[in-house]
Amino acid sequence: MTTDFRKGESGTELLARLEGRSSLKNLEPLIFAKEGFPIHGDAIEFYGPEGTGKTEMFYHLITRCILPKSEGGLEVEVLFIDMDYHFDMLRLVTILEHRLLQSTEEIVKECLSRLFLVYCSSSIQLLLTLHSLESKICSHPSLCLLILDSISAFYWIDRNNGGESFHMQEANLKKCTEFLGKLLKEYQLVLFASTQAIMQKSSNQMEGPLSMEHQCNADIDYRPYLCKAWQNLVTHRIFFSRKERSKGGKQDFEIVFSNTRNHSVGRCSFNIADCGVHFFST
């Protein structure tokens, strides 16, 4: 399929693919500035239980991308693939209206024109969708960010459909991951994807590439369960958790971000208001 596409690639599309895309290093300085990411080709995983602010953080990052530069945004395009069917367009518009100095219908529409929203209901549909979207990615040099919410959505379905064969259980996600790696490399994209924390980890279990972080952060309950190809693609993990709620106070959240290459870690806290994510120091 890719070969057929390459044969029909126009000169405009070739230039769009090769001329490079905008940097996302200023995407969210409060999280990423110290580590100097994300850069082209990075794959960042949001990991945590349901209700820990992962989707709200996606809204925050989308807003930062699609806002015009005159409003402090990056003015780049985002492709959001919703596999949990949780995306709330009204919520995103509310955040945009709070962030814009002059919130007119025309400006909001202009911002939303930089967002491409796609829905997938199975891992095989995700694979076909990624292939079909390559031409859009190629012809849109301002499309810099790809978001998958969530990459673990079809885990149990694929396990059931794969029968007793571990290889068949992971086959679709492995193919998706391999193609995602190709898109990141060839088109200089940045990928964010969420993973639900559905596995419980015993207190004495220490495994995987993040064991060093575990020794420093015993409160992180992390157990990788997606295919090895996905684990190898991820360059950074961000762990989401709820903090203890003070009596009558807002629900606060904490994120711990980890670089899988050099095992460095960092922390920050946030809460969620009508205007979106609000970071604060602890």
Side-chain angles (χ1 to χ4, degrees):
M1 185 171 186
T2 303
T3 303
D4 294 338
F5 167 73
R6 284 282 178 259
K7 289 179 180 177
E9 186 177 30
S10 69
T12 302
E13 290 172 334
L14 176 62
L15 287 173
R17 181 165 61 88
L18 297 179
E19 71 176 1
R21 297 178 190 266
S22 299
S23 170
L24 295 182
K25 282 190 175 183
N26 294 321
L27 180 60
E28 179 42 73
L30 291 174
I31 303 177
F32 308 125
K34 184 179 178 181
E35 293 296 324
F37 74 95
I39 60 174
H40 295 142
D42 275 352
I44 298 99
E45 181 183 62
F46 284 6
Y47 180 92
E50 188 175 0
T52 51
K54 298 187 298 298
T55 300
E56 281 286 337
M57 189 63 72
F58 281 150
Y59 294 149
H60 175 71
L61 298 181
I62 292 170
T63 302
R64 288 277 301 146
C65 284
I66 65 178
L67 279 173
K69 291 180 179 179
S70 60
E71 298 277 0
L74 301 180
E75 203 170 319
V76 298
E77 294 175 337
V78 179
L79 174 58
F80 189 103
I81 302 180
D82 185 8
M83 294 173 279
D84 287 328
Y85 287 76
H86 287 167
F87 189 88
D88 187 342
M89 184 62 74
L90 289 177
R91 175 61 179 151
L92 179 62
V93 170
T94 299
I95 296 172
L96 279 171
E97 289 176 339
H98 277 88
R99 301 286 176 87
L100 287 164
L101 294 176
Q102 286 188 319
S103 179
T104 66
E105 183 178 351
E106 183 180 352
I107 295 177
V108 170
K109 284 183 177 180
E110 180 190 338
C111 292
L112 293 178
S113 69
R114 301 187 187 100
L115 172 65
F116 304 103
L117 180 60
V118 180
Y119 293 93
C120 289
S121 58
S122 68
S123 56
I124 191 64
Q125 186 182 20
L126 173 61
L127 179 60
L128 294 173
T129 298
L130 291 172
H131 278 274
S132 68
L133 287 171
E134 184 174 8
S135 59
K136 177 178 284 294
I137 294 170
C138 183
S139 60
H140 284 254
S142 60
L143 202 166
C144 300
L145 181 61
L146 173 60
I147 298 177
L148 304 182
D149 190 20
S150 67
I151 193 68
S152 60
F154 313 121
Y155 174 74
W156 292 114
I157 297 174
D158 286 346
R159 280 199 62 176
N160 181 67
N161 292 342
E164 297 182 359
S165 169
F166 191 67
H167 173 74
M168 292 302 297
Q169 291 173 11
E170 295 189 334
N172 288 341
L173 181 56
K174 183 179 179 182
K175 291 176 183 177
C176 289
T177 301
E178 290 171 348
F179 194 74
L180 282 168
K182 172 184 177 296
L183 293 178
L184 296 184
K185 182 178 180 181
E186 290 194 8
Y187 299 104
Q188 300 180 311
L189 298 174
V190 172
L191 170 66
F192 280 82
S194 64
T195 301
Q196 293 285 358
I198 61 175
M199 298 292 184
Q200 295 298 318
K201 189 174 181 66
S202 61
S203 58
N204 62 350
Q205 191 175 9
M206 197 72 68
E207 61 174 320
L210 296 180
S211 58
M212 288 181 66
E213 289 90 330
H214 276 150
Q215 294 169 12
C216 300
N217 301 283
D219 55 329
I220 297 177
D221 185 17
Y222 173 66
R223 182 176 182 179
Y225 59 90
L226 297 179
C227 67
K228 190 67 176 292
W230 172 254
Q231 305 302 329
N232 291 336
L233 180 68
V234 172
T235 57
H236 303 80
R237 285 190 176 87
I238 301 182
F239 302 91
F240 286 70
S241 61
R242 285 185 294 269
K243 302 179 78 171
E244 288 189 17
R245 186 196 293 263
S246 59
K247 190 174 181 180
K250 277 188 175 182
Q251 175 64 66
D252 294 334
F253 303 90
E254 182 178 62
I255 57 176
V256 177
F257 38 95
S258 166
N259 187 324
T260 65
R261 293 169 177 151
N262 61 23
H263 305 290
S264 62
V265 295
R267 294 175 183 265
C268 67
S269 299
F270 69 95
N271 54 38
I272 299 168
D274 289 343
C275 61
V277 167
H278 170 70
F279 295 96
F280 62 92
S281 57
T282 53

